[in-house]
Amino acid sequence: MHDRAFNIGSEVNNVTVAEIADQVAEAVSGAKVVITGETGADPRSYRVDFSRFRAAIPGFDCEWTVKRGAVELADAYRRYGLTREDFEQRFTRLAVLRAASGAGTVDDTLRWRR
């Protein structure tokens, strides 16, 4: 195993960006996923091969999932008070977008109306 790179994980976590977004939305109450399709299909592939790791460490099975990670992050944000308002105070661009949303100058996907 010395001087070798390994992808650590499981093929069960080879999911699309949309599937990740859906799992995050499930973990965050009130969140919704809006896929506009305005940029077309995404041809990139994020399929990861874990066979080298499985061959080096037979019998090891990863238990962590995308959904479990999303839930962990959402819980941590709530536990430490990392609210949307907190982010907006720290990242003023978000406050600008929220004000623009309230004024109707951006749509619900935070894109400027023309």
Side-chain angles (χ1 to χ4, degrees), residues 1-79:
M1 296 198 36
H2 179 69
D3 287 334
R4 295 181 67 195
F6 292 91
N7 291 320
I8 309 297
S10 169
E11 282 80 6
V12 73
N13 287 317
N14 276 334
V15 295
T16 67
V17 173
E19 290 169 324
I20 293 170
D22 287 337
Q23 291 179 27
V24 170
E26 287 177 24
V28 179
S29 61
K32 67 178 182 175
V33 176
V34 178
I35 299 176
T36 63
E38 69 185 51
T39 59
D42 186 348
R44 295 174 292 177
S45 170
Y46 298 99
R47 299 280 177 209
V48 180
D49 180 3
F50 303 103
S51 60
R52 176 188 249 188
F53 174 69
R54 275 195 311 276
I57 312 289
F60 181 85
D61 189 27
C62 294
E63 297 175 1
W64 208 257
T65 63
V66 172
K67 185 172 187 172
R68 188 172 170 191
V71 168
E72 179 190 44
L73 285 172
D75 288 347
Y77 290 167
R78 284 188 286 272
R79 186 170 50 254

Side-chain angles (χ1 to χ4, degrees), residues 81-91 94-95 97-99 101 110:
L82 297 174
T83 64
R84 180 179 182 151
E85 291 75 22
D86 184 47
F87 276 95
E88 288 175 355
Q89 288 175 1
R90 294 169 190 245
F91 304 100
L94 294 175
L97 288 172
R98 187 172 191 195
S101 178
L110 299 180

